[in-house]
């Protein structure tokens, strides 16, 4: 499972009685055979991932494992379980208060949108998109 944005939803935000707290989220579930990677494979994955994410931090000089004290990377690598998966099933799943009336969804979305964290704002926008799509259907 790979988690996307998520946010706690207070029952007070729905504006209707007798509700419980919930958590709205987006995620993807994947299934398939998994193969463990050896140290060479794990090093390659870590090098590739760090190069990709470090590039997004430019103009900061990119971090590479070569900046580490000799032997330290190998010691840390021994504590990492790297694997690859051949994906045979890929399914998105979400909970966006889709079981609530439009005005309840809007109340919760407005409260989430007022929060400072980006994930709450993202969930609010997605709640509104899902509610709009339900209304059009």
């Amino acid at each position: 499972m790979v988690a996307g944005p998520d946010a706690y939803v207070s029952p007070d935000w729905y504006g209707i009685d007798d509700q419980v707290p919930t958590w709205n989220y987006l995620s993807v579930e994947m299934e398939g055979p998994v193969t463990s990677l050896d140290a060479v494979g794990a090093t390659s994955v870590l090098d590739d991932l760090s190069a990709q994410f470090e590039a997004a931090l430019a103009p900061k000089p990119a971090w590479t494992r070569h900046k580490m004290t000799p032997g330290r990377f190998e010691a840390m690598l021994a504590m990492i379980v790297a694997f690859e998966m051949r994906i045979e099933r890929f399914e998105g799943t979400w909970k966006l208060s889709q079981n609530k009336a439009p005005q309840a969804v809007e109340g919760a979305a407005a409260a989430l949108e007022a929060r400072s964290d980006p994930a709450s704002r993202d969930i609010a926008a997605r709640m509104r998109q899902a509610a709009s799509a339900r209304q059009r259907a």
Side-chain angles (χ1 to χ4, degrees), residues 6-19:
D6 62 85
Y8 170 81
V9 178
S10 171
D12 296 332
W13 296 343
Y14 287 128
I16 51 180
D17 293 336
D18 300 325
Q19 300 297 301

PDB file of all heavy atoms in Angstrom, residues 6-19:
ATOM      1  N   ASP A   6      -3.735  12.532   3.466  1.00  0.00           N
ATOM      2  CA  ASP A   6      -4.734  12.091   4.426  1.00  0.00           C
ATOM      3  C   ASP A   6      -4.994  13.205   5.423  1.00  0.00           C
ATOM      4  O   ASP A   6      -4.178  14.105   5.568  1.00  0.00           O
ATOM      5  CB  ASP A   6      -4.279  10.823   5.157  1.00  0.00           C
ATOM      6  CG  ASP A   6      -3.017  11.060   5.958  1.00  0.00           C
ATOM      7  OD1 ASP A   6      -3.125  11.531   7.113  1.00  0.00           O
ATOM      8  OD2 ASP A   6      -1.920  10.777   5.448  1.00  0.00           O
ATOM      9  N   ALA A   7      -6.145  13.142   6.095  1.00  0.00           N
ATOM     10  CA  ALA A   7      -6.495  14.178   7.073  1.00  0.00           C
ATOM     11  C   ALA A   7      -7.560  13.667   8.039  1.00  0.00           C
ATOM     12  O   ALA A   7      -8.486  12.959   7.633  1.00  0.00           O
ATOM     13  CB  ALA A   7      -7.001  15.435   6.369  1.00  0.00           C
ATOM     14  N   TYR A   8      -7.405  14.029   9.292  1.00  0.00           N
ATOM     15  CA  TYR A   8      -8.407  13.755  10.322  1.00  0.00           C
ATOM     16  C   TYR A   8      -9.611  14.655  10.077  1.00  0.00           C
ATOM     17  O   TYR A   8      -9.466  15.825   9.728  1.00  0.00           O
ATOM     18  CB  TYR A   8      -7.824  14.053  11.700  1.00  0.00           C
ATOM     19  CG  TYR A   8      -8.840  14.022  12.816  1.00  0.00           C
ATOM     20  CD1 TYR A   8      -9.232  12.805  13.371  1.00  0.00           C
ATOM     21  CD2 TYR A   8      -9.404  15.188  13.314  1.00  0.00           C
ATOM     22  CE1 TYR A   8     -10.168  12.765  14.401  1.00  0.00           C
ATOM     23  CE2 TYR A   8     -10.344  15.158  14.329  1.00  0.00           C
ATOM     24  CZ  TYR A   8     -10.714  13.940  14.873  1.00  0.00           C
ATOM     25  OH  TYR A   8     -11.640  13.905  15.886  1.00  0.00           O
ATOM     26  N   VAL A   9     -10.814  14.102  10.246  1.00  0.00           N
ATOM     27  CA  VAL A   9     -12.044  14.871  10.078  1.00  0.00           C
ATOM     28  C   VAL A   9     -12.819  14.822  11.398  1.00  0.00           C
ATOM     29  O   VAL A   9     -13.238  13.751  11.843  1.00  0.00           O
ATOM     30  CB  VAL A   9     -12.909  14.315   8.928  1.00  0.00           C
ATOM     31  CG1 VAL A   9     -14.212  15.094   8.808  1.00  0.00           C
ATOM     32  CG2 VAL A   9     -12.134  14.360   7.613  1.00  0.00           C
ATOM     33  N   SER A  10     -12.995  15.984  12.013  1.00  0.00           N
ATOM     34  CA  SER A  10     -13.770  16.086  13.251  1.00  0.00           C
ATOM     35  C   SER A  10     -15.244  15.938  12.935  1.00  0.00           C
ATOM     36  O   SER A  10     -15.738  16.531  11.965  1.00  0.00           O
ATOM     37  CB  SER A  10     -13.521  17.436  13.918  1.00  0.00           C
ATOM     38  OG  SER A  10     -14.426  17.622  14.991  1.00  0.00           O
ATOM     39  N   PRO A  11     -16.005  15.193  13.739  1.00  0.00           N
ATOM     40  CA  PRO A  11     -17.440  15.064  13.476  1.00  0.00           C
ATOM     41  C   PRO A  11     -18.176  16.405  13.566  1.00  0.00           C
ATOM     42  O   PRO A  11     -19.212  16.586  12.929  1.00  0.00           O
ATOM     43  CB  PRO A  11     -17.930  14.085  14.543  1.00  0.00           C
ATOM     44  CG  PRO A  11     -16.837  13.947  15.519  1.00  0.00           C
ATOM     45  CD  PRO A  11     -15.576  14.406  14.882  1.00  0.00           C
ATOM     46  N   ASP A  12     -17.634  17.364  14.310  1.00  0.00           N
ATOM     47  CA  ASP A  12     -18.256  18.683  14.429  1.00  0.00           C
ATOM     48  C   ASP A  12     -18.327  19.401  13.081  1.00  0.00           C
ATOM     49  O   ASP A  12     -19.209  20.225  12.858  1.00  0.00           O
ATOM     50  CB  ASP A  12     -17.484  19.564  15.413  1.00  0.00           C
ATOM     51  CG  ASP A  12     -17.519  19.028  16.829  1.00  0.00           C
ATOM     52  OD1 ASP A  12     -18.499  18.332  17.187  1.00  0.00           O
ATOM     53  OD2 ASP A  12     -16.564  19.293  17.573  1.00  0.00           O
ATOM     54  N   TRP A  13     -17.397  19.110  12.189  1.00  0.00           N
ATOM     55  CA  TRP A  13     -17.322  19.820  10.925  1.00  0.00           C
ATOM     56  C   TRP A  13     -18.461  19.472   9.968  1.00  0.00           C
ATOM     57  O   TRP A  13     -18.736  20.218   9.028  1.00  0.00           O
ATOM     58  CB  TRP A  13     -15.994  19.542  10.238  1.00  0.00           C
ATOM     59  CG  TRP A  13     -14.807  20.040  10.996  1.00  0.00           C
ATOM     60  CD1 TRP A  13     -14.799  20.958  12.010  1.00  0.00           C
ATOM     61  CD2 TRP A  13     -13.458  19.639  10.812  1.00  0.00           C
ATOM     62  NE1 TRP A  13     -13.520  21.152  12.466  1.00  0.00           N
ATOM     63  CE2 TRP A  13     -12.664  20.350  11.741  1.00  0.00           C
ATOM     64  CE3 TRP A  13     -12.821  18.749   9.967  1.00  0.00           C
ATOM     65  CZ2 TRP A  13     -11.296  20.204  11.837  1.00  0.00           C
ATOM     66  CZ3 TRP A  13     -11.463  18.600  10.056  1.00  0.00           C
ATOM     67  CH2 TRP A  13     -10.704  19.315  10.970  1.00  0.00           C
ATOM     68  N   TYR A  14     -19.106  18.334  10.177  1.00  0.00           N
ATOM     69  CA  TYR A  14     -20.190  17.934   9.286  1.00  0.00           C
ATOM     70  C   TYR A  14     -21.461  18.749   9.506  1.00  0.00           C
ATOM     71  O   TYR A  14     -22.293  18.840   8.621  1.00  0.00           O
ATOM     72  CB  TYR A  14     -20.518  16.452   9.462  1.00  0.00           C
ATOM     73  CG  TYR A  14     -19.466  15.517   8.883  1.00  0.00           C
ATOM     74  CD1 TYR A  14     -18.918  14.501   9.653  1.00  0.00           C
ATOM     75  CD2 TYR A  14     -19.041  15.644   7.564  1.00  0.00           C
ATOM     76  CE1 TYR A  14     -17.973  13.632   9.128  1.00  0.00           C
ATOM     77  CE2 TYR A  14     -18.090  14.782   7.039  1.00  0.00           C
ATOM     78  CZ  TYR A  14     -17.558  13.785   7.821  1.00  0.00           C
ATOM     79  OH  TYR A  14     -16.630  12.930   7.305  1.00  0.00           O
ATOM     80  N   GLY A  15     -21.607  19.286  10.716  1.00  0.00           N
ATOM     81  CA  GLY A  15     -22.808  20.066  10.997  1.00  0.00           C
ATOM     82  C   GLY A  15     -24.056  19.211  11.160  1.00  0.00           C
ATOM     83  O   GLY A  15     -25.168  19.714  11.026  1.00  0.00           O
ATOM     84  N   ILE A  16     -23.872  17.938  11.416  1.00  0.00           N
ATOM     85  CA  ILE A  16     -24.991  17.041  11.678  1.00  0.00           C
ATOM     86  C   ILE A  16     -24.696  16.251  12.947  1.00  0.00           C
ATOM     87  O   ILE A  16     -23.536  16.006  13.279  1.00  0.00           O
ATOM     88  CB  ILE A  16     -25.289  16.100  10.479  1.00  0.00           C
ATOM     89  CG1 ILE A  16     -24.025  15.385  10.003  1.00  0.00           C
ATOM     90  CG2 ILE A  16     -25.901  16.854   9.334  1.00  0.00           C
ATOM     91  CD1 ILE A  16     -24.228  14.446   8.827  1.00  0.00           C
ATOM     92  N   ASP A  17     -25.730  15.871  13.658  1.00  0.00           N
ATOM     93  CA  ASP A  17     -25.573  15.192  14.947  1.00  0.00           C
ATOM     94  C   ASP A  17     -25.171  13.732  14.776  1.00  0.00           C
ATOM     95  O   ASP A  17     -25.346  13.130  13.709  1.00  0.00           O
ATOM     96  CB  ASP A  17     -26.889  15.255  15.734  1.00  0.00           C
ATOM     97  CG  ASP A  17     -27.243  16.673  16.155  1.00  0.00           C
ATOM     98  OD1 ASP A  17     -26.322  17.507  16.266  1.00  0.00           O
ATOM     99  OD2 ASP A  17     -28.440  16.934  16.357  1.00  0.00           O
ATOM    100  N   ASP A  18     -24.691  13.191  15.877  1.00  0.00           N
ATOM    101  CA  ASP A  18     -24.420  11.753  16.013  1.00  0.00           C
ATOM    102  C   ASP A  18     -23.443  11.211  14.981  1.00  0.00           C
ATOM    103  O   ASP A  18     -23.674  10.159  14.361  1.00  0.00           O
ATOM    104  CB  ASP A  18     -25.734  10.961  15.981  1.00  0.00           C
ATOM    105  CG  ASP A  18     -26.671  11.360  17.110  1.00  0.00           C
ATOM    106  OD1 ASP A  18     -26.175  11.673  18.210  1.00  0.00           O
ATOM    107  OD2 ASP A  18     -27.891  11.379  16.881  1.00  0.00           O
ATOM    108  N   GLN A  19     -22.350  11.912  14.792  1.00  0.00           N
ATOM    109  CA  GLN A  19     -21.296  11.462  13.888  1.00  0.00           C
ATOM    110  C   GLN A  19     -20.075  11.080  14.727  1.00  0.00           C
ATOM    111  O   GLN A  19     -19.959  11.448  15.875  1.00  0.00           O
ATOM    112  CB  GLN A  19     -20.916  12.573  12.903  1.00  0.00           C
ATOM    113  CG  GLN A  19     -22.077  13.025  12.041  1.00  0.00           C
ATOM    114  CD  GLN A  19     -22.585  11.914  11.150  1.00  0.00           C
ATOM    115  OE1 GLN A  19     -21.851  11.363  10.342  1.00  0.00           O
ATOM    116  NE2 GLN A  19     -23.859  11.571  11.306  1.00  0.00           N
TER     117      GLN A  19
END
